[in-house]
Amino acid sequence: MSDNFIFSSESVTEGHPDKVADQISDGVLDAILKDDPMGRVACEVLCSTGLVIVAGEITTKTYIDIPKIARGIINEIGYTRAKYGFDGETCAVLTAIDEQSGDIAQGVNNALEIRDKNLSEEDISKTGAGDQGMMFGYATNETKEFMPMPIALAHALSRQLTKVRKDGTLSYLRPDGKTQVSLRYENRKAVHADTIVVSAQHHPEAGLNQIRSDIIEHVIHPIVPGNLIDSDTKIFVNPTGRFVKGGPMADTGLTGRKIIVDTYGGWIPHGGGAFSGKDPTKVDRSGAYMTRYAAKNIVASGIADECQIQVAYAIGVAEPVSLNVNTFGTGKISDEKISELLRDHFDFRPAAIIRDLNLRKPQYKALAAYGHFGRIDLPELPGWEKTDRAEELRKAAGI
């Protein structure tokens, strides 16, 4: 990426069909973790016109009412009437649940290190990675969220779109919606909002001119800094001219289909694994959270202005097979030294991540819309968003 460019990121509201699916998946996970913190969950959801299908592999000692959870989440989002395209009270909810594969479970329960070296059952190496794969974490001091500005603004616009719908400011809005922000960068600093796109589902009698005016006044201007917008900024509100049919009626929703929205808006690479519906033994989730935690503390410590970390695992093995750091030339010390710091101050084995970030508690449904990172809007920051290691890293680096 050069120093001068335009970069775009998108977000979607909680009423987007893919996000409906994500929230149900994580709602099931939260319900299991509430009574069974050691439950194993891989829950996938498909939602279409009048239909929700919940499938996956779940091993737990507790009982949960999956249809009740799904209907509650759909109603909470705002799909409470058939005229909205989906109704939580009347939609069909079908379930197809099996237990976790024994072949996978044996590698998670007893990692290769245990089997090869006869380590004690209490050793943190006991839990192996629930899958192979690579995960990326990132942080930048560009925003207060420690996130790239395009995705931070896109999420803020989506949250605002939902807020003005739910508080009645724009009562004609419906739950589905999408936002997109394209920022112009000069010398790698955001200087101008080139294009802003907001698509909002609405009541059929609401006119496009009214919607455009209201969205600009009540959604865009309260969120996008005034110094980034001028007469050259292109603003598109419902650019097709009409967005009445939305949600699962207009587009089938699937768990895990918004992984770029969930992470960094495409600013950095993505390992390909989704988060929602997966318990923390799945490193798609826990590994991505840990790399964000480590990267954020590196940036918060002042060691680098931005930091990208890649970690990779082999299924059934506790220790990561690789750890890579890139500070894009902003580090006060070398990337190699930062990598050494990370190995000294962070434990990337799955059981240690679960312990250090407190991942066995119900907390995931709240993250299933508007991103898993930079969530300063939540009453309590999740463990991977804390900067409690920054001072020790600063001292260790001699900054």
Side-chain angles (χ1 to χ4, degrees), residues 237-287:
V237 176
N238 286 6
T240 68
R242 183 176 171 86
F243 187 2
V244 172
K245 188 177 182 179
M249 173 180 273
D251 185 17
T252 300
L254 291 170
T255 298
R257 204 159 58 172
K258 285 290 178 283
I259 57 178
I260 298 300
V261 172
D262 286 341
T263 53
Y264 305 97
W267 188 266
I268 66 164
H270 194 287
F275 301 156
S276 290
K278 297 178 181 178
D279 75 80
T281 65
K282 279 73 170 175
V283 285
D284 281 338
R285 174 162 239 157
S286 53

Side-chain angles (χ1 to χ4, degrees), residues 133-137 271 283 286-291 308-313 319-325 343 348-349 353:
M134 63 283 194
M135 300 85 217
F136 290 88
V283 285
S286 53
Y289 289 169
M290 191 63 174
T291 50
Q308 172 188 294
I309 300 171
Q310 184 207 48
V311 67
Y313 293 91
E319 288 285 353
V321 299
S322 69
L323 183 68
N324 177 271
V325 174
R343 292 184 182 276
F348 287 87
R349 292 173 295 178
I353 297 172

Side-chain angles (χ1 to χ4, degrees), residues 326-359:
N326 187 353
T327 60
F328 308 95
T330 68
K332 309 302 186 295
I333 59 177
S334 70
D335 291 350
E336 291 77 12
K337 289 290 186 183
I338 295 174
S339 182
E340 292 176 10
L341 276 179
L342 293 178
R343 292 184 182 276
D344 290 341
H345 292 267
F346 296 89
D347 193 335
F348 287 87
R349 292 173 295 178
I353 297 172
I354 292 168
R355 175 198 65 198
D356 294 343
L357 300 184
N358 195 15
L359 298 186

Side-chain angles (χ1 to χ4, degrees), residues 149-214:
M149 190 176 292
I151 188 64
L153 288 177
H155 281 322
L157 287 171
S158 288
R159 291 195 301 268
Q160 182 71 4
L161 193 59
T162 296
K163 177 180 180 296
V164 298
R165 169 176 66 88
K166 287 188 169 181
D167 69 14
T169 300
L170 302 181
S171 58
Y172 56 79
L173 292 182
R174 299 295 182 253
D176 200 356
K178 303 180 76 171
T179 65
Q180 185 171 283
V181 176
S182 302
L183 297 184
R184 182 184 302 278
Y185 281 76
E186 294 179 1
N187 297 318
R188 293 189 67 83
K189 301 293 184 183
V191 297
H192 181 247
D194 183 83
T195 307
I196 299 171
V197 184
V198 178
S199 296
Q201 186 188 12
H202 59 88
H203 188 282
E205 293 182 5
L208 180 59
N209 290 336
Q210 176 190 6
I211 295 170
R212 175 181 168 82
S213 175
D214 286 346

Side-chain angles (χ1 to χ4, degrees), residues 7-158:
F7 194 88
S8 303
S9 292
E10 74 157 348
S11 178
V12 298
T13 66
E14 61 197 52
H16 186 281
D18 292 331
K19 280 292 142 198
V20 173
D22 283 342
Q23 289 168 91
I24 295 172
S25 291
D26 275 335
V28 170
L29 173 63
D30 279 352
I32 290 173
L33 293 179
K34 180 180 178 182
D35 293 329
D36 181 12
M38 304 302 290
R40 297 280 171 78
V41 181
C43 178
E44 313 289 346
V45 172
L46 177 149
C47 51
S48 186
T49 304
L51 175 65
V52 175
I53 299 175
V54 183
E57 296 75 45
I58 296 176
T59 302
T60 180
K61 63 183 182 182
T62 191
Y63 168 79
I64 60 168
D65 188 337
I66 291 178
K68 182 178 179 181
I69 292 169
R71 295 183 191 283
I73 290 171
I74 293 165
N75 287 332
E76 181 184 340
I77 290 169
Y79 287 118
T80 56
R81 304 175 69 183
K83 63 166 53 177
Y84 296 169
F86 208 56
D87 182 359
E89 296 299 329
T90 62
C91 68
V93 181
L94 307 180
T95 61
I97 303 295
D98 289 318
E99 290 189 349
Q100 183 182 59
S101 163
D103 295 343
I104 295 174
Q106 70 175 2
V108 176
N109 296 338
N110 292 291
L112 182 70
E113 291 88 339
I114 288 282
R115 288 174 273 134
D116 282 358
K117 300 179 182 178
N118 294 318
L119 295 175
S120 70
E121 290 292 304
E122 290 75 27
D123 193 280
I124 203 72
S125 291
K126 182 176 185 291
T127 302
D131 202 353
Q132 71 175 46
M134 63 283 194
M135 300 85 217
F136 290 88
Y138 177 82
T140 172
N141 59 13
E142 180 182 21
T143 64
K144 61 185 178 183
E145 296 94 342
F146 287 81
M147 293 288 285
M149 190 176 292
I151 188 64
L153 288 177
H155 281 322
L157 287 171
S158 288

